[in-house]
Amino acid sequence: MNNQTKTVAFHTLGCKLNFSETSTIARNLKDNGYQKVEFTDSANVYVINTCSVTANADKECRTIVKNAMKANPEGFVVVVGCYAQLKPQEIAEMEGVDLVLGAAEKFNIAEYLDDINKKEETIVHSCEIEEADFYVGSYSIGDRTRAFLKVQDGCDYKCTYCTIPLARGISRSDTVENVIKNANEIAQKGIKEIVLTGVNIGDYGKGEFGNKKHEHTFLELVQELDQVEAIERIRISSIEPNLLKNETIDFVSKSNRFVPHFHIPLQSGSDEILKKMKRRYLSNLYLDRVTKIREVMPNACIGVDVIVGFPGETEELFMETYNFLNELPISYLHVFTYSERDNTEAIEFEGVVDQGERKRRNKMLRILSEKKRQAFYQSQLNSTQKVLWEHDNKEGKMFGFTENYVKVQTDFNTELVNETQIVDLIRINHNGIVEVKIHELELAK
C-alpha cells in the first residue's frame, strides 16, 4: 500500500454486534493507513456491514450501494456481514459492488484492498460457514457515553426461523482475559457504560480456547467484569431465558457495576409455537425468570423480544402470547414480524399467516409495549436515581438513562455530558420521556 492516506466510509445495518464489529474493522483499516470519513463523503473505499434478520436485506443493501456510488462513482465498495455470508452471489450481482467478504474474511479486510480500482466483476471471498470457528474480539464506541463490547459470537441453537447460525457459525467466545483488556481500553477512553453483546451471550465460555468445552461460565465473566473499577455501569444486552441462571440474577442484584436491566427473548407466549420454533424453554420457565428478577430487583427493567405471524400461529395462539405478555410484569417489547428465510425449517411449515394479519398482530403488541413502558415509567416516578447524561443536544434538551433504563431529559448543559448525576423522577411529558429534578447539580461519584 502506498504512503498516501486513503479514505474509508462505513455503513452498518442490524444489531449492536454488527456495530461493534464495524468499529473493529475501522480500527484495523486505520492501522493500515486509512482515514475514516462520513458515508456521504467521497471516499476511496465504502464498507457496508449487512444484516440478515431484516426481511428486506437485499433492498437495503442495494440502496446503500447506490448511495455510495452517488457519493463517489469511483469508490471501491465492499460488502460484509451476515447477508454477505448467506447470499454472496446475490450481492455480487448488484451494480457497483467490487468485493464481498464472508464471516471469516471480514476481519482481514486490509489484505483484500491492495488494488482498490473499480472491478468489472465482483470478487467474492466467502468461506464455508464451518470455517468461521475462530473468535475476533471487538467493541464499538457508539457515542461518547457507552460502548458495545462483544464477548461471544455464533450460535449452536437450531431455531426453525433463524439464519444466524448459517451466517455466523458455531458458538465461540472471547477469553476472559481479552474481554477484561477491552473493557479497560474502553474505560481509558472516558466511557462510563459498557453493553455486553454477542449472538448468544449466555453460552459464553464455549469455545474460549478453540474447543467446545466451557472454560468459564457467563456468571464467571460477569463476576470478573464487576471488578473493572474504571467502568461505572455494565448492561447485559440480550440473554436467552434458559441460560439466565438464578445465580447470575442474584449476582447482578448485589453487584457494583451491573445495572438492573435485562432483555430476554421470549418469541412466543404459546408453548405450541415455542416447540415449533425449537426454542429451548417453555412459557413457564420464562415466567420463572421474570418472577425471580422481580423478587430480587423490584425496580428492574425487563425487555422482551417477540415474533408475530409465525407459521401455524392461529388467532387463538396469538392471543395466548398477548395475554401472557399482558399479565407479565415487564417493561417494554421489541416486536418482530415473522418473515420467511431461505434454508430454514419454518419456510416449509404449513399455516402461513396472511401479511395483513401479521401487521395487525405487530401493531397490537406495539400498543401493548407502549402501555407497559408507560406503566413502568409511572412506577418509577418520585424515586431518586442515577442518570448518565448523553451528548446529543435536541432543541436545547439533553437525554440520559437511569440504571434501570428509564429515559429522562433536562435542559442541555455541556458540563453534564457523560456525567452521572443524582436526580428525582418527577413526571412523564407528552413525548413519553421523564422530566427530572436535579439534586443541586451535584454529580454522583
Side-chain angles (χ1 to χ4, degrees):
M1 187 167 175
N2 62 32
N3 292 326
Q4 184 192 351
T5 302
K6 292 177 181 173
T7 52
V8 61
F10 297 89
H11 190 103
T12 306
L13 295 162
C15 63
K16 291 167 182 167
L17 191 57
N18 268 8
F19 281 90
S20 74
E21 291 182 346
T22 299
S23 289
T24 297
I25 293 166
R27 284 191 289 275
N28 172 284
L29 288 178
K30 187 182 174 191
D31 293 344
N32 281 274
Y34 278 83
Q35 183 187 334
K36 187 177 167 186
V37 296
E38 292 300 316
F39 203 80
T40 45
D41 292 345
S42 175
N44 299 114
V45 177
Y46 293 89
V47 178
I48 301 166
N49 193 354
T50 60
C51 170
S52 67
V53 174
T54 51
N56 49 357
D58 164 41
K59 199 169 146 196
E60 281 184 329
C61 189
R62 267 177 215 282
T63 305
I64 294 151
V65 171
K66 275 182 189 160
N67 292 346
M69 291 292 82
K70 254 185 226 163
N72 178 11
E74 293 305 308
F76 188 85
V77 175
V78 188
V79 180
V80 302
C82 291
Y83 179 43
Q85 176 64 38
L86 289 172
K87 301 204 170 169
Q89 288 315 130
E90 202 170 281
I91 297 169
E93 284 160 24
M94 291 180 189
E95 196 180 329
V97 176
D98 299 291
L99 176 64
V100 181
L101 297 179
E105 293 81 9
K106 63 188 170 189
F107 293 110
N108 302 321
I109 190 168
E111 292 174 20
Y112 298 96
L113 296 181
D114 285 342
D115 172 14
I116 55 169
N117 292 310
K118 293 295 287 176
K119 300 287 176 268
E120 289 285 318
E121 266 187 43
T122 308
I123 299 165
V124 176
H125 292 281
S126 182
C127 67
E128 290 303 311
I129 196 60
E130 289 73 23
E131 291 169 39
D133 59 357
F134 56 90
Y135 186 84
V136 176
S138 56
Y139 60 85
S140 79
I141 293 157
D143 56 34
R144 295 191 290 269
T145 317
R146 72 175 58 77
F148 301 115
L149 172 57
K150 173 182 162 188
V151 299
Q152 182 275 343
D153 200 350
C155 187
D156 293 340
Y157 287 7
K158 297 284 185 286
C159 301
T160 55
Y161 53 82
C162 186
T163 55
I164 284 174
L166 300 172
R168 284 190 169 270
I170 59 171
S171 178
R172 55 215 188 267
S173 309
D174 205 348
T175 61
V176 169
E177 189 184 25
N178 200 48
V179 172
I180 300 302
K181 178 177 111 15
N182 283 340
N184 279 306
E185 276 179 27
I186 290 166
Q188 280 159 19
K189 296 177 195 299
I191 285 165
K192 307 232 166 132
E193 182 175 308
I194 283 177
V195 183
L196 297 186
T197 69
V199 174
N200 187 357
I201 63 173
D203 204 26
Y204 176 81
K206 190 186 282 183
E208 192 183 343
F209 295 102
N211 53 34
K212 293 308 266 180
K213 284 186 195 149
H214 272 271
E215 297 293 330
H216 292 94
T217 62
F218 182 67
L219 174 61
E220 286 168 332
L221 176 72
V222 163
Q223 289 167 333
E224 288 289 329
L225 278 166
D226 204 46
Q227 306 299 314
V228 180
E229 289 184 8
I231 288 289
E232 278 188 26
R233 293 177 167 188
I234 307 175
R235 276 183 209 282
I236 298 168
S237 66
S238 178
I239 184 166
E240 293 283 304
N242 51 305
L243 295 174
L244 177 58
K245 307 294 185 201
N246 282 348
E247 295 82 356
T248 306
I249 296 170
D250 281 329
F251 182 80
V252 167
S253 74
K254 302 182 186 82
S255 75
N256 302 313
R257 289 170 182 83
F258 279 83
V259 294
H261 177 199
F262 293 87
H263 193 93
I264 315 166
L266 168 67
Q267 311 310 17
S268 176
S270 152
D271 286 349
E272 188 178 321
I273 296 292
L274 287 172
K275 286 173 188 169
K276 279 188 164 180
M277 289 176 164
K278 288 194 179 167
R279 300 293 285 159
R280 298 198 175 193
Y281 54 87
L282 295 174
S283 55
N284 261 348
L285 179 130
Y286 197 93
L287 177 61
D288 285 352
R289 300 299 81 211
V290 171
T291 306
K292 170 68 181 174
I293 292 166
R294 283 274 166 256
E295 215 172 83
V296 295
M297 288 171 271
N299 294 313
C301 180
I302 303 173
V304 182
D305 285 342
V306 60
I307 296 171
V308 297
F310 189 77
E313 185 188 59
T314 60
E315 179 65 11
E316 187 187 358
L317 295 179
F318 167 68
M319 286 313 295
E320 267 185 45
T321 294
Y322 187 93
N323 294 329
F324 181 71
L325 287 165
N326 194 24
E327 285 160 31
L328 264 189
I330 53 166
S331 317
Y332 64 90
L333 305 170
H334 282 170
V335 188
F336 299 89
T337 301
Y338 170 75
S339 63
E340 285 74 4
R341 291 280 179 277
D342 292 342
N343 303 315
T344 58
E345 274 187 72
I347 202 165
E348 306 290 339
F349 289 177
E350 290 176 1
V352 172
V353 178
D354 173 76
Q355 291 291 351
E357 185 55 33
R358 293 185 209 186
K359 276 186 184 160
R360 185 187 72 85
R361 292 177 190 178
N362 182 301
K363 190 174 180 184
M364 275 180 74
L365 285 183
R366 277 187 291 122
I367 292 167
L368 179 62
S369 178
E370 277 313 303
K371 287 180 182 167
K372 289 283 185 187
R373 193 189 301 271
Q374 188 86 356
F376 174 62
Y377 280 14
Q378 200 75 40
S379 74
Q380 299 305 299
L381 294 183
N382 304 318
S383 66
T384 300
Q385 306 263 11
K386 277 186 188 175
V387 170
L388 177 57
W389 294 108
E390 296 179 350
H391 65 280
D392 287 344
N393 180 351
K394 288 187 184 156
E395 296 169 2
K397 297 289 177 195
M398 69 192 304
F399 304 91
F401 284 92
T402 62
E403 291 179 337
N404 62 347
Y405 212 56
V406 174
K407 188 175 185 180
V408 302
Q409 74 171 48
T410 192
D411 294 331
F412 188 82
N413 175 351
T414 25
E415 287 176 23
L416 292 184
V417 170
N418 200 30
E419 292 295 347
T420 311
Q421 200 175 42
I422 295 171
V423 301
D424 293 332
L425 274 51
I426 303 299
R427 73 182 74 80
I428 303 170
N429 69 18
H430 63 285
N431 293 319
I433 299 167
V434 176
E435 293 178 359
V436 298
K437 179 183 171 207
I438 289 167
H439 280 212
E440 299 167 10
L441 275 177
E442 118 196 34
L443 298 176
K445 291 302 168 214

